[in-house]
């Protein structure tokens, strides 16, 4: 188990993926990102799973990309290998809700991985930053695009240009994270949240996730039209009929995820 770069658990309807390179603070390399992408797609295809949690260690969610692996690369190396796009973007193909449980460092690629998740739950020790400018680089796994959408242009510029880090409370005030909890309760609270989400109708969750993501990617008029069509489609679903009937019957719905 110690040699595995990720650890996978299934807890009820929640899949938990833990990054496991403790000697390098979970630095993200090709092997880890390949394995993480495969695990996410596997859990996404599993009808028994309704939500996914990505976690790191108490010291680091992920301290960034593995600089030792990148230091000798040239332009042709990264271009020909389709660096980042080839495997870091796999998370974008996941239709089920993905929650990041972040304690300790979430820097560079680690911060970008968290940003690519649907919800971030932060322990009080969490530190978020995009310090690539210190290396003469820039965030390249979506940081310059997702961060401004999450916290606004001014604060995103500050973080990217000055390498400023945010603690958990700042990240919460800025809207980067959804919840802040004590570190010792981070795993428990994130799994509880994931279990709650996973208890709802899986098709409705996937439609909701797609609708919210559309808000970041297209004009309001197009987004609201997409939302309306997704709502209309729910009326063809067994879970929607069950949910409304259960409400009228004053009982808990029994979803079949159809």
């Amino acid at each position: 188990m110690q040699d595995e770069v990720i650890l996978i658990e299934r807890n009820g309807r929640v899949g938990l993926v833990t990054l496991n390179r403790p000697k390098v603070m979970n630095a993200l390399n090709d092997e880890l990102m390949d394995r993480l992408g495969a695990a996410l797609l596997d859990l996404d295809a599993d009808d028994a799973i309704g939500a996914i949690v990505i976690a790191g260690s108490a010291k680091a969610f992920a301290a960034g990309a593995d600089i030792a692996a990148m230091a000798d690369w040239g332009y042709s190396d990264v271009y020909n290998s389709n660096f980042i796009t080839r495997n870091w973007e796999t998370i974008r193909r996941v239709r089920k809700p993905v929650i990041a449980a972040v304690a300790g460092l979430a820097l560079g690629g680690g911060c970008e991985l968290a940003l690519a998740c649907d919800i971030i739950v932060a322990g009080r020790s969490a530190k978020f930053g995009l310090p690539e400018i210190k290396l003469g680089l820039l965030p390249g796994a979506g940081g310059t695009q997702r961060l401004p959408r999450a916290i606004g242009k001014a604060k995103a510029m500050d973080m990217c240009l000055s390498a400023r880090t945010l603690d958990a409370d700042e990240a919460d005030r800025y809207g980067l994270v959804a919840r802040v909890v004590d570190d010792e309760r981070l795993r428990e609270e994130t799994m509880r949240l994931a279990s709650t989400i996973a208890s709802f109708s899986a098709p409705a969750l996937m439609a909701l996730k797609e609708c919210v993501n559309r808000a970041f990617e297209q004009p309001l008029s197009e987004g609201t039209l997409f939302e309306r069509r997704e709502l209309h489609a729910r009326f063809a679903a067994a879970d929607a009929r069950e949910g409304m009937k259960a409400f009228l019957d004053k009982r808990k719905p029994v979803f079949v995820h159809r």
Side-chain angles (χ1 to χ4, degrees), residues 41-250:
L41 293 179
D42 182 55
L43 292 168
D44 197 38
D46 187 344
D47 289 339
I49 296 296
I52 303 167
V53 172
I54 302 176
S57 68
K59 292 183 178 180
F61 176 72
D66 192 339
I67 303 302
M70 300 163 47
D72 295 328
W73 291 351
Y75 175 78
S76 61
D77 297 312
V78 294
Y79 184 79
N80 291 336
S81 67
N82 209 14
F83 177 51
I84 294 178
T85 305
R86 183 183 66 80
N87 49 9
W88 290 57
E89 294 287 291
T90 304
I91 192 170
R92 296 183 61 191
R93 294 160 52 193
V94 177
R95 301 178 68 196
K96 293 173 181 174
V98 181
I99 305 170
V102 179
L105 300 178
L107 302 179
C111 183
E112 291 173 301
L113 175 59
L115 282 167
C117 295
D118 302 306
I119 298 174
I120 302 174
V121 180
R124 297 200 180 278
S125 67
K127 300 286 186 184
F128 298 89
L130 295 172
E132 287 87 347
I133 192 66
K134 291 183 176 181
L135 305 178
L137 297 171
L138 57 82
T144 66
Q145 304 304 301
R146 293 190 179 100
L147 187 64
R149 286 167 167 81
I151 68 174
K153 177 184 174 182
K155 289 180 171 62
M157 281 288 195
D158 187 6
M159 288 182 67
C160 290
L161 298 179
S162 73
R164 177 186 178 189
T165 61
L166 301 182
D167 63 26
D169 289 334
E170 288 175 312
D172 187 27
R173 289 199 305 272
Y174 291 175
L176 180 60
V177 306
R179 306 183 185 191
V180 177
V181 300
D182 292 334
D183 279 25
E184 57 269 23
R185 294 174 48 235
L186 176 62
R187 186 69 62 96
E188 174 189 353
E189 291 295 325
T190 307
M191 292 298 289
R192 181 180 290 119
L193 170 61
S195 294
T196 298
I197 292 172
S199 72
F200 301 134
S201 169
L205 288 171
M206 290 188 285
L208 263 170
K209 172 175 173 172
E210 191 168 7
C211 284
V212 174
N213 283 334
R214 288 289 179 117
F216 287 94
E217 297 171 359
Q218 60 188 17
L220 177 61
S221 59
E222 293 298 320
T224 52
L225 177 60
F226 183 85
E227 175 192 76
R228 205 66 33 79
R229 293 295 178 253
E230 287 291 338
L231 173 63
H232 293 168
R234 298 308 306 146
F235 284 83
D239 282 346
R241 291 192 294 275
E242 164 64 9
M244 289 185 283
K245 189 172 188 304
F247 176 82
L248 295 174
D249 294 343
K250 296 181 172 57

